[in-house]
Amino acid sequence: MKLTFLFFASAVLLACSVFAAPPVEEGKTIFSARCAGCHNINKVLTGPALAGVDKRRTIDWIVNFVHSSQTVIKKGDATAVELFNKFNHIPMPDHPDLSADNIKNIVEYIKSEATGSNPEKAPFARPSQLRPSYKPLTFANYGFFLSYIALVCLLIGVLIFAVQLKQYQRSAKEKV
Ligand code: HEC
């Protein structure tokens, strides 16, 4: 049964890695849900406009600040204190559950949406260039389909084997 579990787990993992959102999309989802209430990328709202934040701060600074801005401010970080004063002492809520990778993805999303720094956003940018990471799956990706189907077959095989084994064990017990 352990083996079945292993195969099942690897199939789930594979499916997750195939269907996982690309980094920028993940950043966008988190940003919309948890940051957009106070931040716009190109406009000042309750919080500063975030365009170019990757250039004015280091990624470590951003990660620490998003995890707990008040900790950074209380430590006396000059930039953070200045920002806090400038934004009328409105404390930004802590987001300790976001991983460094989550935050990097948010920064990637900010970069992709910042006007000015992104020539792809020019009025006549070709739509195909806006989402270069989107490649629709077609049957030309048969390598992918083959390995996927092979994996599913393998999984079914293992399940059937496990069921047979159980039945065999049961009938062996009944004989005793
Ligand atoms: C309740 C409003 C609020 C929410 C929600 C919020 N922020 Fe902020 N954010 C602020 C304020 C206000 C500041 C200015 C600094 C301060 O006052 O502490 C700030 C500052 C920042 C800065 C520093 C900007 C700079 O110019 O250096 C970053 C980066 C940042 N926020 C990212 C985020 C991210 C990422 C999220 C979502 C996970 C988020 N914020 C959610 C209010 C908010």
Side-chain angles (χ1 to χ4, degrees):
M1 269 303 161
K2 224 177 181 179
L3 203 66
T4 324
F5 175 74
L6 265 182
F7 272 106
F8 190 66
S10 53
V12 169
L13 269 182
L14 187 93
C16 287
S17 64
V18 168
F19 297 113
V24 173
E25 288 298 306
E26 192 201 277
K28 179 181 179 175
T29 312
I30 304 176
F31 185 88
S32 314
R34 306 180 55 169
C35 319
C38 295
H39 288 286
N40 182 284
I41 290 167
N42 298 302
K43 270 186 288 189
V44 178
L45 299 179
T46 312
L50 291 179
V53 73
D54 55 300
K55 297 197 189 87
R56 22 179 219 273
R57 323 280 179 229
T58 63
I59 191 72
D60 287 341
W61 188 94
I62 299 176
V63 169
N64 287 335
F65 196 85
V66 174
H67 276 163
S68 176
S69 64
Q70 285 299 309
T71 312
V72 179
I73 291 164
K74 283 189 185 127
K75 267 193 203 144
D77 181 293
T79 342
V81 172
E82 195 190 316
L83 204 63
F84 186 53
N85 290 337
K86 194 170 151 199
F87 280 84
N88 306 319
H89 292 209
I90 303 169
M92 173 165 136
D94 292 354
H95 302 268
D97 56 314
L98 293 181
S99 70
D101 279 335
N102 290 151
I103 296 170
K104 279 178 198 153
N105 290 342
I106 299 177
V107 172
E108 284 307 312
Y109 167 65
I110 292 170
K111 274 201 226 165
S112 77
E113 286 293 306
T115 47
S117 65
N118 189 356
E120 304 273 281
K121 284 263 152 188
F124 299 108
R126 277 188 286 151
S128 63
Q129 290 183 337
L130 283 178
R131 295 271 165 92
S133 60
Y134 271 133
K135 289 203 189 97
L137 271 182
T138 62
F139 273 99
N141 302 68
Y142 55 84
F144 164 78
F145 278 111
L146 273 186
S147 47
Y148 198 78
I149 290 169
L151 196 88
V152 172
C153 291
L154 198 70
L155 190 69
I156 294 173
V158 169
L159 282 174
I160 293 176
F161 176 73
V163 170
Q164 296 281 322
L165 197 71
K166 257 265 123 56
Q167 265 167 6
Y168 174 74
Q169 281 174 343
R170 227 174 260 152
S171 62
K173 238 185 236 158
E174 273 160 19
K175 268 185 209 143
V176 175

